[in-house]
Amino acid sequence: MHTQRKWVVILCWLTVVFEGFDLVALGASIPTLLDTKHAGIDPAGATYVATISLVGVGIGAALIGPISDRFGRRLPLITCVAVFSVFTLLFPLMPNVAMMGILRLLAGLGLGGCMPVAVTAMQEAASSNGKAHSSTLTMTGYHVGAVAASLLALLVGRQWEWLFYAGGLLGVLAVPLMWAKLPETSPVAAASKTAGAPAHKVRIGSLLRRPYLRITLGLWVAAFMGLMLVYGLNTWLPQLMRGAGYNIADSLGLLLVLNVGAIAGLLVGGRVADLRGVKGTTMFWFAAAAVLLAVLSIKMENQLVLNGVVFVTGFFVFCAQVLVYGFVGYLYPRHIVASGMGFVSAVGRLGAIAGPWITGLLVVAGIAYPFSFYVFAAAALLGVAAVAVIPKVKRGAPFVPDEPSLGTSKPAGIA
């Protein structure tokens, strides 16, 4: 059992690395693509390619949950990695912008399915009181992937194709390893396979009916606000700080400081949530993020103080969003937990699109600094309000038995 859990941790963490790597790979490639006019791409085409990628990720996240709940975690996760890898390898070979967009959409479908299933599997492999930490630990892979892609982008320079070849090849190599070593973590799927029973039918409508409606809506709003902050800051922070009068080198350095703070927050926040309670910790993390984002609207002359504020902002902002995933394993029964995770992730992706878009509108209007930070702070406060309506988790509570009456029974882990 210990060996199996080790492989779940390693392989699920690796699949989340792909998402961080892919996001930075595309962002790092766009300037060169525009400079060289590869395949006739222009700014509008680059926006199309980048946006349709996120659309694919959102659709993939929504679709994978019911599939994973019905057929288990192992095969859907391996399939998602394979789909993402193949279409990522093919992306640099596309002759025009339309085909580039189609390949990015298809790759996004696979990529979007990786994170929800990986986090769900990690929660199932964790102890009954360790689900929040398992979520945050998994998501450190996102930032490791982002750093790896950044370093590779510096090495390959204008040879942008190698970013996608490397990402795709890593996934292709991971598939046979996952096939050989990744165990099934879903007890529902394992029990069905052992008993020879048909796969459990998943009813998505259960997420939007009592007693889960309040849980679902709270999680969806919190995830939307959380990813709005994450993507808005990661996309526009350097430009926002330039608008505040900081030089370009310092502005780029602040993005690195922000993500280092994120890794620290993920390593700490999950353990605090499991020990002190997921609901209270998540509300505190969102509230602290709101205060710190408002503070960033104030011009700071001391570079050390500025770096410190940005580091602590990353510590709270990124972890607050991931802690939302920590609720899922506690509050949904096993037969719909991956569906719950998938739809939380999918709705969050809408925030990932909205954050950069809203900030971009403020940049175009010339009022991004300081008003973007006020918008971000307001989003974090809405995250607090969303989490407040979610029932409190009872630590160590068992899951509700998987029975047809689940649609009207009390959710697991609710005090």
Side-chain angles (χ1 to χ4, degrees):
M1 177 62 71
H2 177 73
T3 301
Q4 286 189 333
R5 181 175 295 179
K6 178 186 71 175
W7 280 112
V8 171
V9 171
I10 293 171
L11 294 174
C12 289
W13 180 84
L14 179 61
T15 60
V16 177
V17 169
F18 296 147
E19 182 167 353
F21 188 99
D22 184 76
L23 176 67
V24 172
L26 182 61
S29 300
I30 286 176
T32 302
L33 289 169
L34 292 176
D35 288 345
T36 61
K37 295 185 176 3
H38 174 82
I41 197 168
D42 57 13
T47 301
Y48 155 72
V49 171
T51 302
I52 203 168
S53 298
L54 291 174
V55 171
V57 170
I59 295 173
L63 293 177
I64 197 62
I67 294 172
S68 175
D69 277 330
R70 187 167 188 182
F71 300 108
R73 319 300 181 217
R74 182 177 181 274
L75 186 57
L77 183 56
I78 294 172
T79 302
C80 286
V81 172
V83 169
F84 159 74
S85 304
V86 169
F87 289 115
T88 296
L89 280 171
L90 294 175
F91 175 73
L93 306 178
M94 293 301 101
N96 54 58
V97 174
M99 289 301 296
M100 291 173 73
I102 291 173
L103 265 290
R104 287 298 299 173
L105 175 66
L106 295 173
L109 291 174
L111 186 62
C114 288
M115 189 278 291
V117 181
V119 174
T120 301
M122 283 282 280
Q123 290 187 353
E124 288 172 335
S127 64
S128 60
N129 288 332
K131 300 185 187 303
H133 176 61
S134 71
S135 301
T136 56
L137 177 63
T138 307
M139 292 306 294
T140 60
Y142 172 92
H143 299 282
V144 171
V147 171
S150 300
L151 294 175
L152 183 59
L154 292 174
L155 289 174
V156 302
R158 295 176 69 84
Q159 303 300 314
W160 61 273
E161 301 94 338
W162 287 102
L163 288 167
F164 295 93
Y165 292 148
L169 181 60
L170 180 62
V172 168
L173 294 175
V175 167
L177 180 62
M178 295 175 71
W179 186 267
K181 298 294 186 180
L182 184 65
E184 178 59 68
T185 61
S186 170
V188 177
S192 296
K193 184 176 180 180
T194 301
H200 196 290
K201 187 174 182 180
V202 178
R203 293 180 173 85
I204 304 306
S206 298
L207 298 174
L208 293 173
R209 289 198 297 267
R210 296 186 64 185
Y212 304 112
L213 179 61
R214 177 178 157 197
I215 295 171
T216 298
L217 294 181
L219 289 173
W220 284 4
V221 173
F224 181 97
M225 296 304 164
L227 279 179
M228 177 180 170
L229 296 177
V230 168
Y231 277 76
L233 284 170
N234 259 337
T235 303
W236 287 107
L237 182 66
Q239 182 62 33
L240 294 178
M241 302 315 276
R242 286 182 68 186
Y246 302 104
N247 64 54
I248 182 62
D250 290 341
S251 297
L252 291 172
L254 290 174
L255 188 59
L256 176 61
V257 172
L258 182 78
N259 281 279
V260 172
I263 294 174
L266 290 169
L267 292 174
V268 173
R271 290 196 179 279
V272 174
D274 285 326
L275 290 172
R276 308 295 298 177
V278 180
K279 180 173 181 175
T281 302
T282 308
M283 290 179 66
F284 178 81
W285 248 247
F286 267 117
V291 172
L292 289 160
L293 287 164
V295 169
L296 282 177
S297 68
I298 303 170
K299 180 68 182 291
M300 302 175 202
E301 301 297 336
N302 187 296
Q303 187 66 37
L304 185 61
V305 172
L306 177 62
N307 283 333
V309 173
V310 170
F311 176 88
V312 180
T313 300
F315 184 97
F316 285 104
V317 167
F318 289 80
C319 187
Q321 181 268 326
V322 176
L323 286 174
V324 174
Y325 299 142
F327 276 99
V328 177
Y330 285 114
L331 294 180
Y332 288 118
R334 290 196 187 278
H335 78 296
I336 58 170
V337 67
S339 298
M341 186 74 75
F343 275 91
V344 168
S345 176
V347 173
R349 299 296 172 179
L350 299 178
I353 297 171
W357 178 68
I358 293 172
T359 311
L361 291 178
L362 295 174
V363 170
V364 171
I367 57 173
Y369 183 87
F371 287 98
S372 289
F373 290 111
Y374 299 152
V375 171
F376 290 150
L381 290 177
L382 289 174
V384 175
V387 175
V389 307
I390 301 171
K392 185 177 180 181
V393 170
K394 184 185 296 182
R395 296 178 63 246
F399 284 95
V400 172
D402 295 297
E403 298 174 353
S405 60
L406 276 169
T408 58
S409 63
K410 190 175 181 180
I414 294 182

